[in-house]
Amino acid sequence: MTSNNSASGYFLYHSIGMYPGKEDDLKTAMSEFAEIWGEANDKQWGYVLQRRQDFIDYWRRVINVPKGSLTTCESVTGGMHMLMRSLPEGSLKGKRVLVSADCFPSVHFLLAGLAAKMGFILDTVPLSAGKAWVETQDYIDHWQQDVGLALLTWVTSVASARADMNALVAHGRDMGSLMVADITQAAGLIPFDALSPKVDFVVSTSLKWMCGTPGAGILYVDKALALELQPEARGWFSQNNPFSWDLDKFEYAPDVRRFDSGTPGSIAAVASLPAMRWHAAQDHAEMVAHNRRLIDQIIAHADDLDLPLYSPRDAARRGGSIMLRMPNKAEAAAVVGALGLERYAVDFRGPIMRLSPGNVTDEAAIDTVFQITKDVLNLRKRRFAGKGPQGDSATLKIGGKTMSSQEILGAFGEMLLSGKIKVVDCTTTLGPKTPIIRLPEDFAKATPKVEINKISEYDSDGPFFAWNWLKLGEHSGTHFDAPHHWISGKDFEDGYTDSLDVQRIVAPVNVIDCSAQAADDPDFLLTPDHVQTWEAEHGNINPGEWVVMRTDWDKRSHDEELFLNEDPDPFEDGAHSPGPTPECIDYLLAKGIVGWGTQCVGTDAGMAGKMSPPYPAHNFLHRDNCFGLASLVNLDQLPAKGAILIAAPLKIENGTGSPIRALALVPA
């Protein structure tokens, strides 16, 4: 793999837009703001409100709307809420509000909550047959004269499918409906004119192709319609003269300023203003052409790898993104993780990989992105036991001698019996003193301590036998985490302890020795660089193998407090124990491991709740249908490579995990 050390591999304009020099521009803008806002004079408000107005004026040019028709809001959802709660009382009662199933989900959540309060019926047009989006004609077919308001999603976030705004607006005028255009996914890349065809309202954000910051949303309101609207949240800036203090004579401003309510939040506008200036100076036709050239290359590579498009193939029906359907969610996650390690910024939603090339994206990066994709997909085909390279027969050449699987197993048995292969117990003793992970009381219900209760011991309760009954959690002591243990793995049918493929749990094990680092720093984190250094010395980690992190943390298990090592601050959730970084787990999953294990109470570092995302070992492993092992012991008796680990959970019905007797087979 070839590392990418610049923004040339950035494909996330559907999330956050980038442009050359953005970091420096932001630093300058925020430094200027800090200097002016922190000075002991009365110049602050003039500066801040003028910068906010500059931001508004740049946005007016982007969508070609007149002065007094556009204002700021925190987000698309916030702008939509402001608008909905400004409509005349009862104007939507008994009517339908029409949305498409591929609208921005946050706005749908909002409208679903407002439906009962405002008396309208929320009607969601389903995805078109065989498509990942709603076709314009299907939307129109659902649109009759009882639709009081229609939300028009210009370009979908799900599939980058672009609606035919001319056809939609023309039909909306015939139906007499109010129309709100959500232009978020393509604003600033593909030209949009709010006056041609003329929509009533527009909501958007500056985050994406405009390259701005969070909180810098916009709301456009047709100037004639604005006079009929009375925003529910009103304040001193809602007035024509904000300094009119007569409490009995409130009067809305005669334009969109009536939506400003109290003192407007302006920091996001100030921070986004450099991006707006940059955008205004660009050749917009070339921005689109560059995007189209890169997407054409992406489509060609996807076709070569037989990855189906999840977006329209026709550029005229598409926004600035292209979505590809990966074989499944796990493969999408592994590919995106591997790309991220090489500094190629791509993301995924479920099995869909999303790429949005913009002005900083280099054409040459696309070839590398798809070479990495191809390599990871091919490597991971061998990650399940029994799927590795196959010979012509069930034989293997060992030391120059060809042996059948029966002969190999026979020899293996003889070596076990002769002591040439040693069995190392990697399991801690399970009992009342076994350390169990503690969760904050206000966060979740914790696992109880292990109880061993006697039934009989050669007495009147059982004269010839001794036995006990146990009370314990599935994740107690040395234990196995099945995929269903974490929400990211909840949908795997074979993700329970009684449904998993048992051939996967017996596999070669790679032991990465971090004991010295963990002794020096209990918060030590294993990174991909550490793993690659280990591989350079000991050999590659292969698909289908276990990887365990040796920290000698088991030497602490005699003392529960020492073993858990919780932070003494009562306001600090977490403990100080070593574990992997998110990037480390990404790296290992890209190599196709079967599972990951540690000697601590859980598979994550003690402070992993503060990582992004939180608890990456749990989150990523189980999303990938892989296993976790915790509270392992005696890893100091295992070689770096060459041992076999057997980690068999109890076959609990719908079990999310199980205490195990972890055994390693080691050359004597």
Side-chain angles (χ1 to χ4, degrees), residues 44 87 167 308 396 419 523 576 580 646:
Q44 293 90 344
L87 297 174
L396 187 67
D523 289 312
H576 298 283
I646 305 170

Side-chain angles (χ1 to χ4, degrees), residues 581-583 586 604 608-617 619-620 623:
T581 64
E583 295 77 15
D586 266 334
D604 274 294
K610 300 180 184 300
M611 293 181 181
S612 180
Y615 308 106
N619 195 331
F620 292 174
R623 179 194 67 194

Side-chain angles (χ1 to χ4, degrees), residues 609-631:
K610 300 180 184 300
M611 293 181 181
S612 180
Y615 308 106
H618 285 82
N619 195 331
F620 292 174
L621 281 170
H622 302 320
R623 179 194 67 194
D624 205 47
N625 200 11
C626 288
F627 311 135
L629 305 176
S631 295

Side-chain angles (χ1 to χ4, degrees), residues 473-663:
E474 292 174 317
H475 303 266
S476 300
T478 303
H479 65 271
F480 182 103
D481 289 349
H484 197 77
H485 173 49
W486 209 254
I487 190 170
S488 56
K490 66 182 179 63
D491 295 324
F492 291 111
E493 291 184 4
D494 59 348
Y496 300 92
T497 57
D498 62 334
S499 61
L500 58 81
D501 179 1
V502 293
Q503 186 146 349
R504 298 179 68 201
I505 61 178
V506 181
V509 59
N510 302 273
V511 183
I512 302 177
D513 186 357
C514 308
S515 55
Q517 296 96 321
D520 290 339
D521 178 10
D523 289 312
F524 171 74
L525 297 177
L526 187 67
T527 68
D529 287 343
H530 292 126
V531 179
Q532 289 170 342
T533 299
W534 181 92
E535 286 182 297
E537 180 179 355
H538 300 289
N540 286 336
I541 294 168
N542 299 309
E545 296 181 343
W546 289 104
V547 178
V548 297
M549 181 179 181
R550 176 191 161 190
T551 57
D552 291 348
W553 207 256
D554 54 331
K555 305 296 191 291
R556 296 168 169 248
S557 61
H558 64 282
D559 183 328
E560 182 175 51
E561 299 306 320
L562 186 64
F563 185 79
L564 297 179
N565 206 28
E566 294 174 318
D567 194 286
D569 186 343
F571 296 99
E572 185 73 64
D573 291 334
H576 298 283
S577 57
T581 64
E583 295 77 15
C584 180
I585 298 297
D586 266 334
Y587 178 76
L588 295 174
L589 291 177
K591 298 184 78 70
I593 65 168
V594 69
W596 158 264
T598 74
Q599 294 188 279
C600 301
V601 74
T603 55
D604 274 294
M607 286 292 176
K610 300 180 184 300
M611 293 181 181
S612 180
Y615 308 106
H618 285 82
N619 195 331
F620 292 174
L621 281 170
H622 302 320
R623 179 194 67 194
D624 205 47
N625 200 11
C626 288
F627 311 135
L629 305 176
S631 295
L632 294 167
V633 304
N634 297 331
L635 295 186
D636 55 340
Q637 298 181 34
L638 275 57
K641 263 187 174 291
I644 301 293
L645 181 63
I646 305 170
L650 296 173
K651 196 172 182 178
I652 301 169
E653 183 176 354
N654 292 333
T656 71
S658 163
I660 59 173
R661 190 70 177 260
L663 303 175

Side-chain angles (χ1 to χ4, degrees), residues 125-312:
V125 181
L127 299 179
S128 299
K131 302 287 179 66
W133 58 87
V134 177
E135 293 283 9
T136 296
Q137 189 56 52
D138 288 341
Y139 193 87
I140 288 174
D141 290 343
H142 280 75
W143 193 344
Q144 286 84 41
Q145 290 182 340
D146 63 336
V147 172
L149 181 144
L151 175 64
L152 311 180
T153 302
W154 181 34
V155 174
T156 72
S157 61
V158 176
S160 193
R162 191 186 340 168
D164 183 343
M165 293 298 287
N166 288 316
L168 288 169
V169 173
H171 183 76
R173 294 295 170 220
D174 290 341
M175 296 298 103
S177 309
L178 293 172
M179 288 174 283
V180 186
D182 178 357
I183 64 170
T184 300
Q185 288 297 329
L189 177 69
I190 300 172
F192 181 88
D193 189 335
L195 304 182
S196 180
K198 189 174 184 296
V199 294
D200 302 311
F201 314 104
V202 174
V203 288
S204 191
T205 178
S206 307
L207 264 179
K208 305 178 189 297
W209 302 97
M210 301 302 300
C211 304
T213 65
I218 61 102
L219 169 66
Y220 159 76
V221 179
D222 177 80
K223 291 192 76 171
L225 282 174
L227 299 176
E228 303 174 18
L229 306 179
Q230 296 188 352
E232 187 174 65
R234 63 185 192 176
W236 67 310
F237 265 76
S238 305
Q239 304 177 109
N240 197 36
N241 173 15
F243 294 97
S244 175
W245 298 112
D246 191 329
L247 300 183
D248 298 320
K249 292 186 178 180
F250 175 86
E251 186 176 351
Y252 283 108
D255 56 17
V256 77
R257 288 178 298 135
R258 60 181 53 204
F259 284 88
D260 287 346
S261 69
T263 306
S266 303
I267 303 299
V270 173
S272 297
L273 191 53
M276 303 298 296
R277 290 174 178 150
W278 168 85
H279 181 268
Q282 301 310 300
D283 181 340
H284 296 153
E286 174 53 30
M287 288 177 68
V288 177
H290 177 70
N291 172 267
R292 294 315 190 208
R293 286 194 298 270
L294 269 59
I295 287 185
D296 286 345
Q297 291 184 39
I298 291 171
I299 292 174
H301 279 289
D303 289 345
D304 287 344
L305 293 181
D306 293 324
L307 296 176
L309 300 189
Y310 201 70
S311 304

